[in-house]
Amino acid sequence: GLPPTGLAGSDTGVFVGVSTTDYGDRLLEDLPTVEAWTGIGAATCALANRISYALDLRGPSVAVDTACSASLVAVHLACQSLLLGESSVALAGGVNLVLAPGQNVSLNVAGTLAPDGVSKSFDRDADGYGRGEGCGVLVLKRLDDAVRDGDRVLAVIIGSAVNQDGRTDGIMAPSGEAQQHVVRRACARAGITPD
């Protein structure tokens, strides 16, 4: 319900999760078409910065790469920015495009991709994950501000947390203990119990 041009000059923050560089790589590898703007167009920072530029937004503008968790970490950072008063509104999300075979080949050789291409999260039959493309963006505000402005509130984030798994059986292997720890921290911040 917010007209994008109405945010111009505001402290709106932009937080974008990204973990692959297929688009930028393609731009930079097409040498005959490289021009002065290709470098910034290929940079991951431009994912957030271009939105801030196009909409004339003055809040933080951050591209986040934490691999699979990038969009969730972008949402966490957006919430923190709202809580600290750095941003009055925050646009938070993530994007992934699969434009080249290299990443798929590498992940397949590493044994991380499910043979059938289907993610089976938290399932006994989990055997890897399926890559996909997409883009999603949330418009976030502090609840009091959203209520004051008459915004339609679809959900309330009451707590979040971020961590790294530390040393595991392999750099891409998750740690159940570390995952439990971050969930407990998010619940504690939210003032709820994990159950």
Side-chain angles (χ1 to χ4, degrees):
L2 294 172
T5 55
L7 297 173
S10 71
D11 289 331
T12 298
V14 179
F15 302 84
V16 179
V18 59
S19 62
T20 59
T21 59
D22 291 19
Y23 178 74
D25 293 346
R26 287 183 67 141
L27 286 178
L28 292 172
E29 290 168 1
D30 189 6
L31 298 179
T33 65
V34 170
E35 57 184 19
W37 301 110
T38 305
I40 190 64
T44 54
C45 66
L47 290 167
N49 298 162
R50 194 71 177 152
I51 295 168
S52 297
Y53 174 82
L55 299 177
D56 191 21
L57 307 177
R58 310 291 171 87
S61 189
V62 180
V64 179
D65 181 359
T66 58
C68 299
S69 63
S71 57
L72 292 172
V73 173
V75 170
H76 170 79
L77 294 174
C79 290
Q80 295 301 311
S81 183
L82 288 166
L83 289 171
L84 292 172
E86 296 174 331
S87 300
S88 53
V89 175
L91 306 178
V95 62
N96 188 56
L97 293 174
V98 180
L99 301 174
Q103 195 70 273
N104 278 347
V105 171
S106 175
L107 291 169
N108 191 49
V109 170
T112 63
L113 297 181
D116 60 3
V118 177
S119 296
K120 301 168 211 68
S121 302
F122 310 110
D123 190 297
R124 179 168 290 146
D125 296 325
D127 57 357
Y129 76 102
R131 294 189 73 210
E133 297 183 315
C135 176
V137 177
L138 302 175
V139 178
L140 303 173
K141 277 188 176 181
R142 289 178 293 273
L143 182 59
D144 291 345
D145 294 346
V147 170
R148 178 200 66 214
D149 296 342
D151 295 331
R152 187 170 151 224
V153 177
L154 300 177
V156 176
I157 299 171
I158 58 173
S160 65
V162 172
N163 77 338
Q164 213 284 339
D165 282 353
R167 189 171 293 139
T168 62
D169 290 337
I171 192 151
M172 292 185 277
S175 163
E177 181 182 335
Q179 296 297 310
Q180 291 171 20
H181 177 71
V182 75
V183 169
R184 284 189 191 104
R185 283 182 43 212
C187 290
R189 288 189 180 142
I192 61 173
T193 58
D195 60 346

